[in-house]
Amino acid sequence: MSTSKETGNRPVPLLDVPRSNLPLRGEFQEAIMQVCDSGQFLFGPDCRKLEESVAAWCGADHAIGCASGSDALLIALMAEEIGPGDEVIMPSFTFFATASAAWRLGARPVFVDIDPVSFNISPAAIRDAITPATRAIIPVHLFGQCAEMPEIMAIARQHELLVIEDAAQAIGASVAGEPAGSWGDIGCLSFYPTKNLGGFGDGGIMVTQDHLRAERLRLYATHGMKPRYEHHVVGINSRLDSIQAAALNVKIKHLPEANRLRQQNADRYQELFEQAGIDHQVVLPASGETMEHVWNQFTIRVPGQRDALATHLGERQIGHAIYYPIPLHQQACFQVEGESLPSLPETEKACKEVLSLPIFPELIDDELQQVVSSIGDFFAQQQRSAA
Ligand SMILES: *Cc1c(COP(=O)(O)O)cnc(C)c1O
């Protein structure tokens, strides 16, 4: 292990994908060569197998592979014929794709505020944002913890709204024992390499309980074509290829252990922050009572000093990231002429305070200690310069 000369600490990566994949090298090789030998690069048996496994993980009856999590959201909204004149309620504190899917179809993303503890969409804010034009709600299960789905589903039923779960960061998470993807009308997941179930490139999947909905999703993902050269609707071409599916079929077997290790790392952070006496300088993430968190990110709040701490960690080569620095309601591309920006105070505050730390399953204890001791050094320095 190398040691930084100036600071004496060892670097820690935010994420180390090769470290996760190396122990499975032989399994990957075999699975991928099988696809290679079969020549069935699309719609092969590996694709069906993965769809079955993900459906089971999500407590859903159907799963339909597609090219990315972004496409999953887009296809879900297309298949529900969401378009001009429709409003879609969603958080502003999320990745861009949640909103661009609605915008692209001519619908209007209606951004609402979050709960400051969970970082997830506030059910009360959803209720306040409903108008006669509202068609759907997209709760995002941010950082690996589900949004408050029982409350959100009750609101949706009362107002006859669709619910499309953005579960890109949350495979395996649950609320009250029911998994992400099982609550809404459609669940959208991503296999982007940094997600808990990460592929060898782009990939995504949609899950649903409804047989007719599943058929429509598949139709929209294949140019609206069924059978060949008969087009019923104008869909897109969005496929999960067999090599991705083969690699993911290997990884999904190890997902329970990977998620367990993420939880273990989160618990260890709690312990180390307490031991270092800095568990009050920062706000540590907590999982809600009925929530099973899968820790795609370990995101702390650093009131007033986030950017200074990020710089400090950067100098010590301690991996960190800011998800997300700019809320979507303030992005230039979503501005509407003649309309003023909504004010979403909790979202705007979170954007200024959040800092995500390394949490990937294969982190070793020494690395967790390096992260926390580097943060401890920062606060010790602050105290010295204040004295
Ligand atoms: C990653 C992600 C997406 C998009 O998934 P891609 O596969 O990268 O297109 C959508 N929503 C959220 C919340 C994400 O984290």
Side-chain angles (χ1 to χ4, degrees):
M1 258 185 256
S2 64
T3 304
S4 163
K5 253 197 221 94
E6 300 90 70
T7 61
N9 73 282
R10 289 178 290 282
V12 181
L14 178 64
L15 189 69
D16 189 343
V17 173
R19 200 193 296 183
S20 308
N21 286 338
L22 201 61
L24 308 178
R25 199 167 188 279
E27 283 185 72
F28 286 134
Q29 224 158 15
E30 192 181 328
I32 289 170
M33 285 320 291
Q34 233 167 42
V35 177
C36 200
D37 294 342
S38 79
Q40 255 195 298
F41 295 111
L42 296 164
F43 307 113
D46 280 298
C47 298
R48 284 197 300 276
K49 187 175 168 204
L50 181 71
E51 288 176 345
E52 282 168 20
S53 305
V54 173
W57 268 85
C58 295
D61 290 335
H62 308 273
I64 301 99
C66 63
S68 69
S70 303
D71 272 10
L73 289 159
L74 180 66
I75 295 163
L77 295 175
M78 286 175 89
E80 296 299 333
E81 296 180 331
I82 302 251
D86 296 334
E87 294 180 356
V88 182
I89 298 174
M90 63 185 72
S92 168
F93 193 60
T94 175
F95 180 60
F96 180 70
T98 315
S100 64
W103 184 276
R104 192 185 295 280
L105 297 174
R108 180 190 168 91
V110 175
F111 296 113
V112 304
D113 217 348
I114 52 167
D115 172 85
V117 176
S118 69
F119 298 112
N120 278 326
I121 194 166
S122 151
I126 294 175
R127 217 181 263 286
D128 291 344
I130 293 172
T131 74
T134 308
R135 283 279 318 278
I137 307 168
I138 310 185
V140 179
H141 306 318
L142 203 68
F143 303 147
Q145 175 166 242
C146 285
E148 289 170 55
M149 293 314 294
E151 292 83 347
I152 293 169
M153 293 312 297
I155 296 168
R157 277 196 208 99
Q158 189 190 344
H159 296 270
E160 293 179 37
L161 304 174
L162 274 165
V163 174
I164 295 172
E165 297 177 64
D166 183 339
Q169 302 183 3
I171 188 167
S174 65
V175 194
E178 301 294 332
S182 71
W183 289 87
D185 298 290
I186 302 171
C188 299
L189 287 83
S190 163
F191 303 125
Y192 186 74
T194 66
K195 312 292 184 184
N196 285 28
L197 181 62
F200 285 7
D202 275 316
I205 204 162
M206 301 163 282
V207 295
T208 182
Q209 312 289 8
D210 186 284
H211 166 70
L212 289 176
R213 219 167 228 134
E215 278 192 355
R216 279 182 74 73
L217 291 169
R218 209 177 280 284
L219 192 66
Y220 271 88
T222 51
H223 281 313
M225 182 166 76
K226 192 186 180 181
R228 221 169 165 72
Y229 307 124
E230 280 183 38
H231 300 268
H232 303 267
V233 294
V234 181
I236 61 173
N237 167 32
S238 184
R239 297 187 279 237
L240 179 73
D241 64 73
S242 306
I243 286 185
Q244 283 306 331
L248 289 162
N249 281 329
V250 170
K251 286 196 93 167
I252 202 166
K253 286 189 285 184
H254 302 276
L255 187 57
E257 177 64 1
N259 281 352
R260 190 188 67 78
L261 290 168
R262 285 175 187 271
Q263 176 67 56
Q264 186 175 302
N265 290 343
D267 293 341
R268 183 68 176 137
Y269 267 131
Q270 181 75 41
E271 214 172 76
L272 289 168
F273 272 96
E274 281 170 23
Q275 278 169 17
I278 48 169
D279 53 319
H280 293 295
Q281 265 93 336
V282 301
V283 183
L284 296 175
S287 36
E289 232 172 72
T290 60
M291 300 281 176
E292 177 110 6
H293 200 316
V294 292
W295 302 105
N296 181 243
Q297 300 296 340
F298 187 86
T299 303
I300 64 171
R301 278 180 188 264
V302 194
Q305 297 181 300
R306 194 268 313 274
D307 292 337
L309 176 57
T311 304
H312 172 96
L313 293 179
E315 286 162 3
R316 281 153 187 79
Q317 296 178 59
I318 301 290
H320 60 278
I322 296 168
Y323 306 117
Y324 297 90
I326 306 170
L328 294 187
H329 69 281
Q330 293 177 350
Q331 297 288 350
C333 65
F334 293 136
Q335 300 319 310
V336 180
E337 226 180 87
E339 280 185 24
S340 55
L341 282 183
S343 159
L344 303 176
E346 291 300 346
T347 297
E348 289 156 30
K349 189 158 174 255
C351 289
K352 294 192 180 84
E353 294 185 348
V354 289
L355 190 66
S356 298
L357 303 176
I359 185 78
F360 65 92
E362 298 77 15
L363 276 170
I364 58 169
D365 199 62
D366 181 71
E367 290 174 312
L368 293 164
Q369 291 182 38
Q370 294 291 324
V371 173
V372 177
S373 73
S374 297
I375 296 172
D377 290 346
F378 171 79
F379 286 109
Q381 274 175 20
Q382 296 279 308
Q383 223 160 23
R384 276 199 300 276
S385 56

